[in-house]
Every structure is written in C-alpha cells, then in structure tokens.
Amino acid sequence: MEIDRRRVRRLIEKSRTQERALNRVIRRQAWLDPVADAVQKAVGAFYGALGAPGRSIKNVMHGTAVLGHPLHPALTDVPIGAWTVGVIADWLFVATGRVPALAGDLALAVGVAGAILAAVTGYTDFHETEGHERRTAIVHGLTMSLVLLLDGVSLGLRLGAPGTRFTAIALSSGAWVFAVGGAYVGGHLTFGLGSAVNHNAFPFEGPSDFVRVGMRSDFPEGEMRRVEANGLPVAILRRNGLLHAIGAVCAHAGGPLEEGKLEGEVVQCPWHGSRFRFGDGRVVDGPATFDQPLLEVRERGGVVEVKLAHPLR
C-alpha cells in the first residue's frame, strides 16, 4: 500500500512538471521557423513599401492609434460569431427548410469580411513576435488563414450553381471546426504566453507615496537611469534640467527601456521598436498599445524621490 502511495505521488508530481501538450508539440516543429521568417519579412516589406504612411497605418492595425488597445482580439469575435450563426442557419435549412438559405450565406459573408480585417491586424501583430511565441502565433495565423480560404471557397460555391450548396455547407462547417481550434491556439498565445498583454499590469505595485531613488548627481542631463521604487523598475531622464520618470519595462513585451534609443523626450524600446514619451508615458509608436506607468518626481535637498502618478491597479 505504501509503495502504491509513493507511486501515485510521483505520478502527480510528474504531471505537474510536464509542459502543456500544445507547447510540446509546437516546440518540435522546427519547420515553422522558415515559414515564420518568410511571413515576417513579407509583412515588414509591405509596410516598408508604403513609406511614411506605412508607420501610421501599422499603428492603426496594432491598435496603438485610434483604439489605444490591441485591435486584433477586438475584431476576431466578428468572424467567429458570424460563422457560428451561419453553420447553425445552414443546418437548420438542411434539416427543416424553415430557415432561408440566404441566412447562412449572409452570415458567412459577414464572417469572411470580418476575417479579412482580423487577418491583416493579426499578421501585423505577428511581425514583432519571436521564439516559441512566434511559432505559436504562426500556427494560429496559418490555421485561421486556412479557415478564411475554405469559407471563401464556400461563399463562391453558394453564388454559383444551386447543386453545389450542400458541398458549400459541408465546407464551411468543416472550416468552423478548424476555426475553433485556431481560436484555442490564439487564446493560448495571449493568456498562456502573454503575447500583446500589458506587461505592466500585474507584477509591480509601485510607490503610492514618494520614495527615495537616488541623489541629484545620479541623474545627469540627457541620460536615462534605471532605478527600483518599491519593486517597480523606473526609467528616469533629466531633460532641460527637469527629471521625468516612467516605468522601465516596455508594456509590449517587457523590454528594458533604459537600454533604448533616446530622441528628445521619446525613448524607443530596444526589442521591438515601440516608442514612449517621458513627459506623460504615452505610447507614440507601436507595436505597444498601452502607455507606460507615469511617475511624479521631486528633488529635495539633493535627494530624488518618485511616486506613481496613478495607481497601477
């Protein structure tokens, strides 16, 4: 009996340390890397070919501009919802004839239109992924692209000869199953791997009252310095004699902002190029969509102190 208990405990401990099956499978697929490389280069070349407007358009597609929130997840509900309605309407038409065939066609068309925009925003976000996150993202992207292709063919069949309707319905129904799988991978990408989430949302509390972070001489003109304030990494810049402070961890993917390139009061993250303004913490250019935590700074008797301008939670 004691041996059985020990064996059960070992099995439980082993199961707790095992990586999720989805992650294990994706890590083994080395062939995904050249595919991801090609897609990222194509996305970069597309926006690069647009010249100066390309950066502005890319910011809109990320959600940096206009929305101030990742745009892709806000759009994906449209095709998933429309396709679900379409599949239900299609099979009610087949089974009962009480639902008009046009209902399924219209729902499918709405889903395809929404999926095209979701695909553009999704591949835009994909451009700044790397490592295991990138492999997972390309699985999600390719799966949903296949769904879009199948539903596009289904829509074309519906507009063609009447005898192809059942084939079109079967095709869009199969595509819906793939869409559910692709959505699962997309959800894991965001909630399991933290892709595109605000990296300043959880780990740090930060000071609600002024705390000491150094002396006046520690912060020379025109240079960034990283300090810790109640566990919150802070980047401090002295510009024109005045000190400015924002969170040092890039909201997009956690990059160290103090190692980035400084242009006036704007710092560019060294990892993926997001740009933030020291004066108010605002994101200037994506892929980041969330602002940096802003801190108030004061100097008293040569001592530099900071506190959060707004609570993080």
Side-chain angles (χ1 to χ4, degrees):
M1 182 65 70
E2 182 63 27
I3 295 177
D4 290 342
R5 289 199 189 101
R6 290 176 181 174
R7 184 167 179 268
V8 169
R9 279 198 297 268
R10 284 198 300 268
L11 289 173
I12 292 174
E13 290 172 359
K14 183 179 179 180
S15 67
R16 287 174 178 170
T17 58
Q18 282 183 339
E19 188 177 33
R20 284 183 176 272
L22 177 62
N23 288 331
R24 288 203 311 274
V25 171
I26 291 177
R27 287 189 196 281
R28 295 174 186 151
Q29 311 308 313
W31 63 271
L32 289 170
D33 290 336
V35 176
D37 282 334
V39 174
Q40 286 186 326
K41 288 177 181 177
V43 173
F46 170 76
Y47 284 111
L50 297 177
R55 186 71 183 183
S56 298
I57 296 172
K58 193 167 186 282
N59 281 336
V60 173
M61 294 297 101
H62 281 307
T64 307
V66 182
L67 191 61
H69 178 284
L71 179 57
H72 177 68
L75 293 174
T76 55
D77 286 351
V78 175
I80 295 296
W83 288 335
T84 301
V85 170
V87 168
I88 294 173
D90 280 339
W91 288 107
L92 284 176
F93 165 75
V94 171
T96 69
R98 295 182 179 180
V99 175
L102 184 61
D105 298 347
L106 288 176
L108 179 64
V110 170
V112 168
I116 291 172
L117 188 53
V120 173
T121 57
Y123 279 115
T124 300
D125 289 343
F126 170 74
H127 184 246
E128 276 77 29
T129 58
E130 56 190 23
H132 180 62
E133 175 193 15
R134 186 177 75 157
R135 282 191 184 181
T136 307
I138 197 64
V139 170
H140 170 66
L142 292 178
T143 302
M144 300 310 291
S145 295
L146 174 62
V147 172
L148 179 56
L149 175 62
L150 293 176
D151 278 332
V153 172
S154 175
L155 188 60
L157 290 174
R158 292 162 192 257
L159 299 175
T164 60
R165 174 161 295 277
F166 186 79
T167 301
I169 290 174
L171 198 59
S172 60
S173 298
W176 182 85
V177 174
F178 280 109
V180 171
Y184 174 83
V185 176
H188 178 68
L189 182 65
T190 299
F191 299 110
L193 303 182
S195 182
V197 302
N198 182 1
H199 280 67
N200 290 306
F202 302 110
F204 314 114
E205 289 291 344
S208 57
D209 295 315
F210 280 107
V211 296
R212 176 174 172 167
V213 292
M215 301 298 293
R216 179 182 178 84
S217 58
D218 295 329
F219 306 98
E221 177 70 26
E223 295 184 19
M224 292 181 291
R225 292 288 188 270
R226 179 175 175 134
V227 299
E228 296 284 330
N230 281 13
L232 176 70
V234 179
I236 298 182
L237 167 70
R238 186 182 296 279
R239 186 168 186 267
N240 298 327
L242 299 177
L243 289 175
H244 305 276
I246 59 176
V249 175
C250 178
H252 171 245
L257 292 184
E258 77 281 357
E259 297 178 13
K261 181 180 179 182
L262 186 64
E263 297 178 354
E265 68 166 347
V266 175
V267 59
Q268 179 173 311
C269 179
W271 286 6
H272 303 111
S274 297
R275 301 171 72 234
F276 303 92
R277 192 164 48 231
F278 261 96
D280 54 13
R282 296 285 186 183
V283 56
V284 178
D285 282 312
T289 58
F290 297 102
D291 300 330
Q292 290 298 112
L294 178 66
L295 292 96
E296 298 177 13
V297 190
R298 73 181 183 187
E299 296 183 67
R300 298 196 308 179
V303 175
V304 177
E305 300 175 318
V306 300
K307 75 170 184 177
L308 284 168
H310 314 287
L312 292 182
R313 300 187 188 184

